[in-house]
Amino acid sequence: MSGGHGDAGMASGKMAKLKELLQKSENRICADCSAPDPNWASANIGVFICVKCSGVHRSLGTHISKVMSVTLDKWSDDEIDSMVEVGGNSQANAIYEAFLPEGYRKPHPDSAQEERQKFIKSKYELQEFLEPSLRIVSNHPSDAGKQASNSHSGSSKSEDVIHITCSSSPQIGMVEFIGILNVKVIGGTKLAIRDMSSSDPYVVLTLGQQKVQTSVIKGNLNPVWNEELKLSVPQKYGPLKLQVLDHDMVSKDDLMGEAEIDLQPMINAAASFGDPELLGDIQIGRWLKSNDNALTADSAVMVTGGKVKQEVSLNLQHTESGEVTVEMEWMALNI
């Protein structure tokens, strides 16, 4: 009897891990179309998806994408472990969208089914956006994520080594990412009122075709998020766009202000100084406040504990009032 209760406890603990993973900011939007609050997942690919995209995934067959409901289906320990191992939508997309064509428009929540089908098939079945050296010629393209994970960690399991096509150079017109940008959205102050007497703010970050967002904080003009969002940075990158929006249940979400973050000071400084793990805690760069940017004060680029970090405080533009503070961490992929 006690063994049965123990098994039940372990199972509930595993499901708690899965639901905890779902609550991470990057997983609160669909990996394929950015629809909010996905409650479906591809257990073997490791992404959370919306109900519309789940139908397309299901049509690919379980050998490519095994679709499961986070709330309705019974998950095995292996399926949960596989999701946790991948780490969520940002990690998976950094692999499956590593070579997304420049200017390519991903589906959005209201996209036609044909557009959604074309993208999902290209992404997972044909692996058109995957790094060429990771493209797997087999009936199990979802193993690409595991193959990438193993290549980074230095480990190699024989069961994961499938026939792989190799390429010495990226495809023409494809985008190669040079690093990962972790953005911790710390909080906002004196944000604008968009409801009767307050607002329900959340932050959206956009870099190229990638978009991530924080949770909604209800009725607060001085919200504290302390949430980490992850984005991949391509070779040709523009500014990181930040928007604060007021969540509305019945109409379109209202803009509460926006600003742009120049990534060049941090990325260029990091490239000049090399591996940050070999440096002490020092300042390596600075983004200066001017009339052409939204900085509240100069922003220093620091190496702290072997990591390149930069705290940025911004005056929101196109609004009555409001400031937002974020902390960025840069991880180059070519060190």
Side-chain angles (χ1 to χ4, degrees):
M1 294 290 289
S2 60
H5 286 301
D7 291 342
M10 288 178 64
S12 63
K14 289 280 189 178
M15 281 305 297
K17 280 189 175 183
L18 180 66
K19 291 182 178 179
E20 181 182 342
L21 184 63
L22 176 61
Q23 290 308 310
K24 292 178 67 174
S25 304
E26 65 194 75
N27 299 325
R28 280 197 289 269
I29 58 175
C30 174
D32 297 327
C33 76
S34 298
D37 303 321
N39 281 315
W40 294 84
S42 172
N44 52 343
I45 294 174
V47 292
F48 292 98
I49 51 179
C50 68
V51 64
K52 291 181 180 179
C53 288
S54 73
V56 181
H57 274 254
R58 192 175 286 109
S59 70
L60 299 178
T62 55
H63 63 289
I64 294 175
S65 183
K66 184 177 181 181
V67 178
M68 300 184 69
S69 168
V70 177
T71 55
L72 302 176
D73 288 331
K74 184 176 181 180
W75 288 65
S76 70
D77 288 352
D78 287 344
E79 289 162 345
I80 295 174
D81 288 343
S82 180
M83 292 289 295
V84 173
E85 180 184 350
V86 172
N89 290 353
S90 291
Q91 298 281 23
N93 281 348
I95 297 168
Y96 284 97
E97 296 180 7
F99 283 77
L100 204 64
E102 191 169 3
Y104 190 101
R105 295 185 64 84
K106 289 179 60 173
H108 53 79
D110 298 323
S111 289
Q113 193 70 358
E114 294 78 12
E115 181 182 353
R116 201 181 300 267
Q117 287 173 338
K118 180 180 178 182
F119 174 73
I120 292 173
K121 182 174 182 178
S122 297
K123 180 176 176 180
Y124 300 109
E125 183 177 4
L126 303 179
Q127 303 168 18
E128 291 180 357
F129 315 132
L130 198 69
E131 182 180 338
S133 63
L134 294 177
R135 290 177 186 166
I136 298 173
V137 184
S138 76
N139 289 328
H140 302 278
S142 58
D143 286 332
K146 294 181 182 178
Q147 179 68 26
S149 176
N150 287 336
S151 68
H152 287 306
S153 64
S155 64
S156 177
K157 297 180 182 179
S158 59
E159 61 267 30
D160 289 334
V161 180
I162 315 174
H163 297 93
I164 300 174
T165 60
C166 294
S167 174
S168 59
S169 62
Q171 290 189 13
I172 295 174
M174 293 295 185
V175 176
E176 183 175 6
F177 292 107
I178 59 172
I180 303 296
L181 182 69
N182 286 329
V183 183
K184 183 177 183 180
V185 181
I186 297 174
T189 56
K190 299 179 181 178
L191 299 184
I193 295 174
R194 287 293 179 267
D195 297 327
M196 291 295 291
S197 60
S198 188
S199 297
D200 301 330
Y202 65 98
V203 173
V204 175
L205 300 177
T206 304
L207 184 64
Q209 298 297 315
Q210 302 169 81
K211 183 177 291 188
V212 291
Q213 67 183 60
T214 67
S215 60
V216 175
I217 297 183
K218 294 187 177 295
N220 198 327
L221 300 180
N222 299 284
V224 175
W225 284 281
N226 284 327
E227 294 183 22
E228 292 189 3
L229 307 175
K230 194 185 301 288
L231 294 152
S232 300
V233 179
Q235 285 181 326
K236 295 181 180 180
Y237 59 88
L240 175 65
K241 297 181 179 180
L242 181 150
Q243 290 182 310
V244 181
L245 298 168
D246 171 47
H247 181 64
D248 198 311
M249 296 293 291
V250 296
S251 61
K252 184 178 178 181
D253 292 354
D254 296 317
L255 181 67
M256 297 174 63
E258 56 190 349
E260 291 188 346
I261 299 174
D262 186 357
L263 300 180
Q264 285 190 346
M266 180 172 60
I267 295 176
N268 290 347
S272 298
F273 279 80
D275 189 348
E277 293 185 359
L278 303 178
L279 303 174
D281 291 357
I282 59 171
Q283 178 178 323
I284 61 173
R286 182 176 290 270
W287 182 24
L288 300 176
K289 177 185 176 182
S290 75
N291 294 330
D292 297 325
N293 60 47
L295 286 175
T296 63
D298 292 353
S299 173
V301 181
M302 306 292 297
V303 172
T304 306
K307 298 179 179 180
V308 178
K309 295 189 175 184
Q310 181 180 7
E311 185 170 305
V312 179
S313 292
L314 301 161
N315 285 311
L316 294 176
Q317 310 294 301
H318 309 120
T319 186
E320 309 92 283
S321 64
E323 297 180 9
V324 169
T325 301
V326 303
E327 183 184 70
M328 303 188 296
E329 179 186 336
W330 171 247
M331 294 180 291
L333 295 178
N334 57 354
I335 291 179

